[in-house]
C-alpha cells in the first residue's frame, strides 16, 4: 500500500484537484484507491460526490477516536474509489488534539487498519503546516507537490522542502519527495515557461513529465461532484491526469491493469 500525500503550503495550486483526479485515474487503471480528505473545507469530499453535511462519521471522528475506519469510509460512485471524508468539524480537531497522546500519528495508526485493502492511499492536505498536514506527512511514504509556474513558486517550494527535511529527521524517516507536478499551466505565458525551465534544470529527476494544463472543464467538474474522467473524459484535463497516473505507476514499475470502461 503506497501512501501519497498531496501537499504544498501555498494555497490555490491545485492540490485538491490533483488528489481527486489522480485517485479517479488510478481507479480507472484498475487500482484500489482510498482518498483521505484532511482539509476542513472538505472540497475533495464534495468533488468526489459526497455530501459533507450528511456525514455520521468522518476523518475528524476517526482522529479523535470516536469511530473506526470501517465506519467512516464511503464510496465515490462517480470516481470508483473509496473516500475518508471531511467536514467542517475537522477545523476543531487541532484544538482537541493539542494535549492528546501521539497526536501526530493518529492518521498513521488509523490507516494501519486498512493495510492491504488498497494499492494507493491519496492524502489531500490543507494549505498550511498544521496538525492535520503533519498527520498526513507522518503517515505518508512520499509527497507529491503540485505547483503553479509563477513568480513565488520556487520560494514556496524551498520552504516546503526544508519542512520535509525536518519531518524526515524527527517524525518519519521513510518520507521522500515523490515528485513535483506543474499545474494550471498556460504555455502562452512567458513567465510560466521560464519557471518551468528552472524546475527542469534543478529538479530533473523529481519533475513529472506530465503537465496539467489550465482547463475550463477541470474547473467545472467539482461543482457536479464528479472527477474529470466522469465529467468529460475527452477533455485535456482528463487526459493529463490519466497520463499522470500512468507515469506514477511506471515510476514504481507497476504493470497497469486494463482500464475500467
Amino acid at each position: 500500500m503506497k501512501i501519497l500525500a498531496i501537499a504544498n503550503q501555498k494555497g490555490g495550486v491545485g492540490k485538491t484537484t490533483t488528489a481527486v483526479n489522480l485517485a479517479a485515474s488510478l481507479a480507472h487503471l484498475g487500482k484500489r484507491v482510498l482518498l483521505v480528505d484532511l482539509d476542513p473545507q472538505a472540497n475533495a469530499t464534495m468533488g468526489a460526490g459526497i455530501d459533507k453535511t450528511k456525514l455520521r462519521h468522518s476523518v475528524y471522528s476517526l482522529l479523535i477516536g470516536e469511530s473506526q475506519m470501517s465506519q467512516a469510509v464511503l464510496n465515490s460512485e462517480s470516481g470508483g474509489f473509496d473516500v475518508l471524508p471531511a467536514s467542517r468539524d475537522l477545523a476543531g480537531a487541532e484544538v482537541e488534539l493539542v494535549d492528546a497522546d501521539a497526536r501526530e500519528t493518529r492518521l498513521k495508526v488509523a490507516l494501519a487498519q486498512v493495510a492491504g485493502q488498497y494499492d494507493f492511499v491519496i492524502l489531500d492536505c490543507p494549505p498550511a503546516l498544521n496538525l492535520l498536514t503533519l498527520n498526513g506527512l507522518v503517515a505518508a511514504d512520499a509527497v507529491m507537490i503540485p505547483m503553479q509556474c509563477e513568480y513565488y513558486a520556487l520560494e514556496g517550494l524551498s520552504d516546503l522542502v526544508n519542512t520535509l527535511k525536518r519531518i524526515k529527521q524527527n517524525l518519519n524517516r521513510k518520507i521522500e519527495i515523490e515528485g513535483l507536478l506543474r499545474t494550471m499551466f498556460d504555455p502562452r505565458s512567458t513567465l510560466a515557461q521560464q519557471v518551468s525551465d528552472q524546475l527542469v534544470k534543478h529538479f530533473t529527476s523529481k519533475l513529472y513529465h506530465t503537465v496539467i494544463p489550465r482547463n475550463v472543464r477541470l474547473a467545472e467538474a467539482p461543482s457536479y461532484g464528479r472527477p474529470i474522467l466522469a465529467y468529460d473524459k475527452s477533455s485535456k484535463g482528463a487526459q493529463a491526469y490519466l497520463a499522470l497516473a500512468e507515469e506514477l505507476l511506471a515510476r514504481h514499475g507497476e504493470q497497469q491493469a486494463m482500464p475500467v470502461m
Side-chain angles (χ1 to χ4, degrees):
M1 186 171 79
K2 177 80 171 178
I3 303 176
L4 183 62
I6 312 295
N8 192 327
Q9 287 157 278
K10 191 175 186 305
V13 296
K15 285 188 301 297
T16 297
T17 298
T18 295
V20 171
N21 291 299
L22 178 59
S25 296
L26 287 167
H28 184 74
L29 294 172
K31 298 300 178 183
R32 302 168 300 166
V33 183
L34 173 65
L35 173 65
V36 179
D37 190 350
L38 290 172
D39 193 331
Q41 295 182 78
N43 289 336
T45 297
M46 295 185 295
I50 293 168
D51 188 343
K52 67 179 182 181
T53 65
K54 297 180 179 179
L55 299 174
R56 292 187 59 201
H57 304 279
S58 66
V59 68
Y60 165 75
S61 57
L62 186 74
L63 290 176
I64 65 170
E66 290 185 353
S67 62
Q68 299 294 313
M69 286 287 290
S70 58
Q71 296 172 297
V73 170
L74 301 173
N75 181 255
S76 168
E77 292 184 16
S78 60
F81 52 85
D82 285 349
V83 182
L84 179 55
S87 66
R88 288 194 183 93
D89 292 340
L90 192 55
E94 284 202 271
V95 176
E96 295 182 47
L97 291 174
V98 164
D99 298 319
D101 293 334
R103 60 182 184 174
E104 301 96 348
T105 59
R106 293 291 180 100
L107 182 63
K108 180 179 180 179
V109 171
L111 289 176
Q113 297 175 28
V114 295
Q117 294 182 30
Y118 298 99
D119 300 306
F120 286 90
V121 177
I122 308 294
L123 311 178
D124 183 32
C125 298
L129 186 62
N130 55 23
L131 191 52
L132 297 170
T133 299
L134 193 58
N135 261 269
L137 296 178
V138 169
D141 300 310
V143 183
M144 180 184 288
I145 306 172
M147 55 189 298
Q148 282 185 262
C149 293
E150 58 181 24
Y151 184 70
Y152 293 111
L154 294 175
E155 183 180 346
L157 177 61
S158 176
D159 292 341
L160 180 57
V161 169
N162 288 332
T163 296
L164 290 173
K165 284 180 180 177
R166 291 196 297 273
I167 289 173
K168 188 177 180 72
Q169 288 172 353
N170 300 304
L171 294 167
N172 182 3
R173 290 196 168 277
K174 69 181 179 181
I175 197 166
E176 302 288 349
I177 294 177
E178 173 71 31
L180 309 178
L181 176 67
R182 289 163 287 180
T183 58
M184 304 180 193
F185 188 76
D186 184 354
R188 298 168 298 178
S189 166
T190 302
L191 178 59
Q193 290 285 6
Q194 289 173 344
V195 175
S196 180
D197 290 344
Q198 287 291 310
L199 290 172
V200 170
K201 180 178 178 181
H202 295 290
F203 298 98
T204 306
S205 63
K206 291 293 185 181
L207 191 66
Y208 286 102
H209 296 300
T210 303
V211 177
I212 308 300
R214 191 173 289 278
N215 182 247
V216 173
R217 304 298 272 173
L218 262 180
E220 292 173 347
S223 64
Y224 293 89
R226 301 170 75 83
I228 188 62
L229 274 175
Y231 180 63
D232 184 356
K233 66 180 180 182
S234 64
S235 67
K236 289 183 178 179
Q239 295 307 307
Y241 275 110
L242 198 54
L244 176 64
E246 291 171 343
E247 185 175 354
L248 177 64
L249 293 178
R251 281 191 177 198
H252 291 278
E254 292 196 32
Q255 292 293 321
Q256 296 169 25
M258 289 297 291
V260 180
M261 303 305 289

XYZ file of all heavy atoms in Angstrom, residues 88-133:
347
model
N -16.766 20.231 8.302
C -16.286 21.441 8.977
C -15.791 21.144 10.396
O -14.988 21.890 10.950
C -17.403 22.485 9.037
C -17.698 23.122 7.685
C -18.557 24.369 7.841
N -18.906 24.947 6.556
C -20.012 24.660 5.887
N -20.870 23.787 6.384
N -20.273 25.229 4.729
N -16.280 20.065 10.994
C -15.838 19.692 12.346
C -14.328 19.519 12.422
O -13.723 19.663 13.489
C -16.497 18.377 12.790
C -17.990 18.519 13.002
O -18.446 19.670 13.175
O -18.691 17.494 12.998
N -13.722 19.210 11.290
C -12.286 18.931 11.262
C -11.467 20.143 11.722
O -10.355 19.993 12.219
C -11.865 18.503 9.851
C -10.476 17.909 9.658
C -10.258 16.719 10.573
C -10.271 17.503 8.203
N -12.040 21.347 11.561
C -11.339 22.556 11.993
C -11.078 22.537 13.494
O -10.117 23.137 13.975
C -12.150 23.794 11.613
N -11.922 21.824 14.248
C -11.742 21.744 15.692
C -10.792 20.666 16.146
O -10.428 20.597 17.336
N -10.376 19.822 15.214
C -9.522 18.692 15.592
C -8.198 19.144 16.185
O -7.686 18.543 17.132
C -9.282 17.798 14.376
N -7.634 20.209 15.619
C -6.340 20.680 16.120
C -6.416 21.066 17.587
O -5.528 20.738 18.378
C -5.881 21.880 15.291
C -5.354 21.483 13.931
C -4.447 22.543 13.369
O -4.937 23.445 12.700
O -3.240 22.448 13.623
N -7.472 21.789 17.961
C -7.623 22.212 19.351
C -7.788 21.002 20.261
O -7.173 20.907 21.329
C -8.841 23.150 19.495
C -9.052 23.524 20.960
C -8.650 24.396 18.650
N -8.603 20.047 19.804
C -8.890 18.878 20.632
C -7.690 17.934 20.751
O -7.576 17.188 21.717
C -10.098 18.129 20.069
C -11.382 18.950 20.143
C -12.583 18.192 19.622
O -12.749 17.022 20.002
O -13.341 18.768 18.834
N -6.800 17.980 19.772
C -5.659 17.069 19.771
C -4.400 17.669 20.396
O -3.386 16.969 20.545
C -5.339 16.617 18.344
C -6.359 15.689 17.674
C -5.976 15.459 16.220
C -6.448 14.359 18.412
N -4.447 18.943 20.758
C -3.249 19.625 21.259
C -2.593 18.867 22.411
O -1.367 18.688 22.435
C -3.589 21.073 21.698
C -2.471 21.642 22.565
C -3.775 21.949 20.474
N -3.391 18.403 23.344
C -2.836 17.707 24.510
C -2.985 16.185 24.428
O -2.750 15.483 25.411
C -3.527 18.215 25.790
C -3.280 19.701 26.020
O -2.140 20.143 25.799
O -4.233 20.407 26.395
N -3.383 15.686 23.256
C -3.624 14.252 23.108
C -2.313 13.484 22.970
O -1.310 14.004 22.466
C -4.510 13.988 21.901
N -2.334 12.244 23.406
C -1.171 11.380 23.229
C -0.991 11.059 21.755
O -1.957 10.848 21.030
C -1.367 10.071 24.016
C -1.362 10.294 25.524
O -0.745 11.275 25.968
O -1.994 9.485 26.237
N 0.254 10.990 21.316
C 0.582 10.597 19.933
C -0.257 11.344 18.910
O -0.759 10.774 17.953
C 0.395 9.086 19.767
N -0.373 12.644 19.089
C -1.269 13.433 18.234
C -0.818 13.454 16.769
O -1.641 13.576 15.876
C -1.373 14.857 18.765
C -0.051 15.601 18.825
C -0.203 16.979 19.398
N 1.069 17.696 19.360
C 1.220 18.958 19.680
N 0.174 19.660 20.074
N 2.409 19.545 19.608
N 0.499 13.335 16.514
C 0.996 13.387 15.128
C 0.814 12.073 14.390
O 0.949 12.026 13.170
C 2.491 13.748 15.097
C 2.840 15.073 15.731
C 3.283 14.902 17.175
O 3.095 13.796 17.719
O 3.815 15.870 17.753
N 0.528 10.994 15.115
C 0.484 9.668 14.475
C -0.930 9.082 14.414
O -1.095 7.917 14.088
C 1.406 8.687 15.205
O 0.983 8.573 16.574
C 2.856 9.142 15.153
N -1.944 9.901 14.717
C -3.315 9.385 14.743
C -3.728 8.807 13.379
O -4.317 7.731 13.299
C -4.294 10.486 15.166
C -4.143 10.963 16.612
C -4.582 9.877 17.583
N -4.461 10.271 18.979
C -5.479 10.693 19.732
N -6.692 10.794 19.212
N -5.286 10.990 20.997
N -3.416 9.525 12.310
C -3.804 9.048 10.975
C -3.001 7.811 10.583
O -3.554 6.861 10.018
C -3.605 10.149 9.938
C -4.014 9.779 8.511
C -5.515 9.477 8.427
C -3.641 10.897 7.536
N -1.734 7.804 10.893
C -0.882 6.648 10.572
C -1.426 5.377 11.218
O -1.521 4.324 10.574
C 0.545 6.913 11.057
C 1.518 5.780 10.786
C 2.911 6.135 11.287
C 3.894 4.999 11.027
N 5.257 5.355 11.505
N -1.809 5.471 12.481
C -2.363 4.325 13.199
C -3.687 3.893 12.574
O -3.958 2.699 12.406
C -2.554 4.669 14.689
C -3.321 3.570 15.408
C -1.189 4.870 15.353
N -4.525 4.868 12.207
C -5.824 4.553 11.603
C -5.663 3.849 10.253
O -6.371 2.875 9.958
C -6.644 5.826 11.439
N -4.711 4.322 9.446
C -4.517 3.720 8.117
C -3.974 2.297 8.216
O -4.153 1.495 7.298
C -3.580 4.591 7.276
C -4.165 5.925 6.805
C -3.113 6.745 6.065
C -5.386 5.701 5.909
N -3.322 1.986 9.323
C -2.834 0.614 9.518
C -4.000 -0.374 9.549
O -3.820 -1.563 9.258
C -2.021 0.530 10.798
N -5.199 0.109 9.861
C -6.388 -0.749 9.900
C -6.773 -1.264 8.504
O -7.458 -2.274 8.383
C -7.587 0.008 10.488
C -7.420 0.454 11.925
C -8.602 1.291 12.394
O -9.723 1.145 11.911
N -8.362 2.188 13.341
N -6.344 -0.537 7.460
C -6.729 -0.944 6.095
C -5.521 -1.374 5.267
O -5.594 -1.453 4.039
C -7.490 0.198 5.373
C -8.812 0.466 6.066
C -6.645 1.475 5.303
N -4.419 -1.647 5.934
C -3.224 -2.119 5.213
C -3.567 -3.369 4.415
O -4.146 -4.316 4.933
C -2.107 -2.408 6.200
N -3.244 -3.347 3.141
C -3.543 -4.488 2.284
C -4.851 -4.377 1.530
O -5.075 -5.111 0.567
N -5.716 -3.458 1.943
C -7.002 -3.308 1.258
C -6.915 -2.387 0.035
O -7.785 -2.404 -0.825
C -8.050 -2.750 2.223
C -8.411 -3.701 3.355
C -9.477 -3.126 4.261
O -10.326 -2.352 3.831
N -9.424 -3.486 5.536
N -5.860 -1.564 -0.009
C -5.721 -0.600 -1.105
C -4.321 -0.668 -1.709
O -3.357 -1.026 -1.040
C -5.975 0.823 -0.594
C -7.367 1.027 -0.045
C -7.613 0.994 1.323
C -8.445 1.231 -0.903
C -8.894 1.164 1.830
C -9.738 1.397 -0.409
C -9.947 1.368 0.951
O -11.224 1.522 1.440
N -4.247 -0.282 -2.985
C -2.951 -0.139 -3.639
C -2.363 1.237 -3.366
O -1.159 1.388 -3.184
C -3.094 -0.343 -5.149
C -3.641 -1.712 -5.494
O -3.055 -2.715 -5.037
O -4.673 -1.789 -6.199
N -3.250 2.250 -3.357
C -2.825 3.628 -3.122
C -3.767 4.315 -2.145
O -4.980 4.162 -2.226
C -2.816 4.442 -4.431
C -1.672 4.119 -5.349
C -1.804 3.126 -6.310
C -0.470 4.808 -5.264
C -0.752 2.818 -7.167
C 0.586 4.498 -6.112
C 0.443 3.507 -7.057
N -3.176 5.084 -1.233
C -3.932 5.994 -0.373
C -3.450 7.400 -0.719
O -2.251 7.694 -0.631
C -3.701 5.710 1.121
C -4.458 6.727 1.975
C -4.143 4.296 1.471
N -4.375 8.250 -1.145
C -4.057 9.618 -1.533
C -4.542 10.554 -0.433
O -5.729 10.552 -0.086
C -4.739 10.002 -2.875
C -4.434 8.967 -3.965
C -4.334 11.401 -3.306
C -2.997 8.900 -4.392
N -3.640 11.361 0.122
C -3.975 12.278 1.207
C -4.040 13.707 0.675
O -3.031 14.237 0.182
C -2.920 12.206 2.315
C -2.510 10.821 2.825
C -1.413 10.960 3.884
C -3.716 10.077 3.399
N -5.204 14.337 0.769
C -5.347 15.736 0.367
C -5.097 16.614 1.595
O -5.951 16.717 2.476
C -6.747 15.985 -0.208
C -6.908 17.415 -0.697
O -5.906 17.993 -1.157
O -8.035 17.963 -0.617
N -3.916 17.233 1.655
C -3.526 18.024 2.830
C -3.956 19.476 2.682
O -3.964 20.024 1.575
C -2.009 17.968 3.012
S -1.371 16.307 3.329
N -4.294 20.132 3.813
C -4.648 21.550 3.747
C -3.436 22.417 3.426
O -2.292 21.978 3.592
C -5.184 21.851 5.158
C -4.707 20.752 6.029
C -4.449 19.571 5.163
N -3.677 23.663 2.962
C -2.564 24.545 2.553
C -1.919 25.256 3.735
O -1.858 26.488 3.783
C -3.258 25.533 1.618
C -4.647 25.619 2.149
C -4.987 24.244 2.646
N -1.449 24.499 4.696
C -0.770 25.058 5.869
C -0.048 23.923 6.572
O -0.459 22.766 6.477
C -1.788 25.690 6.822
N 1.022 24.255 7.266
C 1.715 23.220 8.036
C 1.102 23.189 9.431
O 1.661 23.693 10.400
C 3.216 23.491 8.112
C 4.002 22.359 8.785
C 3.867 21.071 7.997
C 5.454 22.733 8.958
N -0.093 22.596 9.519
C -0.770 22.483 10.804
C -0.775 21.019 11.237
O -0.137 20.170 10.619
C -2.188 23.049 10.706
C -2.996 22.400 9.591
O -2.705 21.279 9.155
N -4.021 23.093 9.123
N -1.508 20.721 12.292
C -1.502 19.364 12.843
C -2.127 18.356 11.876
O -1.751 17.180 11.869
C -2.233 19.345 14.184
C -2.110 18.076 15.039
C -0.650 17.678 15.233
C -2.785 18.288 16.388
N -3.053 18.814 11.049
C -3.678 17.927 10.068
C -2.677 17.549 8.972
O -2.536 16.377 8.612
C -4.914 18.589 9.462
C -6.050 18.880 10.449
C -7.125 19.744 9.798
C -6.656 17.578 10.977
N -1.988 18.556 8.443
C -0.950 18.279 7.442
C 0.150 17.410 8.044
O 0.655 16.486 7.397
C -0.341 19.596 6.919
O -1.370 20.363 6.296
C 0.756 19.329 5.897
